[in-house]
Amino acid sequence: MMGARTGDGMVRRRRVRAWSWIAALLVASPLTAQTEQVVVESGDWELVGDLSVPDGDGPFPAVLMLNQAAGSRATYGALAEALLEQGVASLRLDLRGHGESTNLGRFNPGEIRRDPLIWDAEPDVAAALERLRSETRLDAERLAVVGASYSAEEAAESGRQTTFAHAYVLLSPGSLDDASIAAMDGSGADWLVISSETDSRLTDIMASVSSGSALAETRILPGRGHGTGLFDHQPALVADLVAWLAARLDAPGVL
């Protein structure tokens, strides 16, 4: 009996230590501690996002992250956390009709051939950038945008219509048009365009970027992946993007 009671006590102590360890992780997590949900108004749309800002006074550079079609902001969690560690804020945004931004409707793939929930989202990008510029903790001059698949073109088109950010990462920009490519070199922004070698839909577009822009950097990664799906197949991609963005935004470094 004494042995059984002693064993139960050891199990309880292990459980207490385990819960203490989990609680410490939750408290120490920079993303959990410094992230707030925000709503960005774009016309009548209410766009839901997660704004993560490093501790301190700033002003900090920031990265706007945009979902791909039928995706959501959730796919950018690892990138947001890694950027925080370099002193870079981020806004992960659900564009109109995606994720939690569905107050006026939800995008259903294939339902409409030229669905405005996909092709009319450039005002959302502009509204989100203005939201970041209005944040006193952030540096309005050091903003970047990460777009994936359709949202890469929406980001570029928004820049053409309003004001370009400081840097752009375009993941598998399958709908990137000639006007956006032609505008890259005169935009004053740095551009990184990425696809995977098996993504045949991107072959012509990647060639067009290489020939149409003298300044944009293109990378064709080995293996698979499209848009934010690249994160699932490219283990080094998060670290590579953090290094590229931190350099362009003059990030303060490890906090």
Side-chain angles (χ1 to χ4, degrees):
M1 294 295 292
M2 288 295 292
R5 285 196 294 271
T6 301
D8 290 344
M10 291 177 66
V11 169
R12 283 194 293 271
R13 284 195 294 275
R14 290 195 191 102
R15 287 174 177 165
V16 169
R17 285 196 295 270
W19 281 112
S20 298
W21 177 74
I22 292 170
L25 280 180
L26 292 174
V27 170
S29 170
L31 187 58
T32 301
Q34 300 168 86
T35 296
E36 60 178 312
Q37 189 173 99
V38 298
V39 175
V40 176
E41 294 185 358
S42 177
D44 291 330
W45 283 97
E46 297 175 357
L47 310 177
V48 180
D50 296 319
L51 177 64
S52 301
V53 181
D55 282 332
D57 297 329
F60 300 102
V63 178
L64 172 63
M65 305 175 188
L66 309 171
N67 60 272
Q68 70 180 53
S72 77
R73 69 189 192 277
T75 55
Y76 288 113
L79 181 58
E81 186 165 0
L83 284 169
L84 271 182
E85 294 172 357
Q86 296 297 317
V88 180
S90 65
L91 174 57
R92 295 176 286 151
L93 189 71
D94 286 336
L95 292 168
R96 60 182 62 191
H98 291 81
E100 294 184 83
S101 301
T102 55
N103 66 303
L104 297 181
R106 178 177 295 278
F107 171 69
N108 295 307
E111 188 173 73
I112 303 174
R113 187 171 182 274
R114 290 287 297 182
D115 197 325
L117 295 183
I118 292 291
W119 304 115
D120 293 345
E122 59 274 9
D124 299 355
V125 183
L129 286 172
E130 282 306 305
R131 175 68 166 79
L132 291 175
R133 292 186 180 105
S134 71
E135 276 283 335
T136 57
R137 296 170 292 174
L138 305 182
D139 186 341
E141 300 300 320
R142 291 187 293 162
L143 301 179
V145 182
V146 178
S149 196
Y150 91 97
S151 66
E153 166 58 20
E154 297 304 288
E157 188 174 349
S158 176
R160 285 160 40 207
Q161 294 176 356
T162 56
T163 302
F164 282 102
H166 191 77
Y168 290 82
V169 175
L170 309 183
L171 303 174
S172 310
S175 56
L176 193 64
D177 68 20
D178 292 340
S180 292
I181 296 171
M184 287 179 173
D185 287 357
S187 66
D190 292 315
W191 297 82
L192 174 60
V193 186
I194 297 177
S195 73
S196 64
E197 64 182 358
T198 59
D199 198 343
S200 59
R201 293 169 290 181
L202 271 293
T203 302
D204 291 341
I205 286 177
M206 296 299 286
S208 295
V209 174
S210 295
S211 62
S213 170
L215 301 180
E217 179 182 349
T218 58
R219 296 182 190 176
I220 300 177
L221 306 180
R224 306 167 51 208
H226 179 81
T228 54
L230 286 166
F231 293 123
D232 298 327
H233 300 283
Q234 307 289 336
L237 182 57
V238 167
D240 290 345
L241 292 186
V242 169
W244 191 89
L245 288 164
R248 272 69 189 173
L249 297 175
D250 193 23
V254 178
L255 296 181

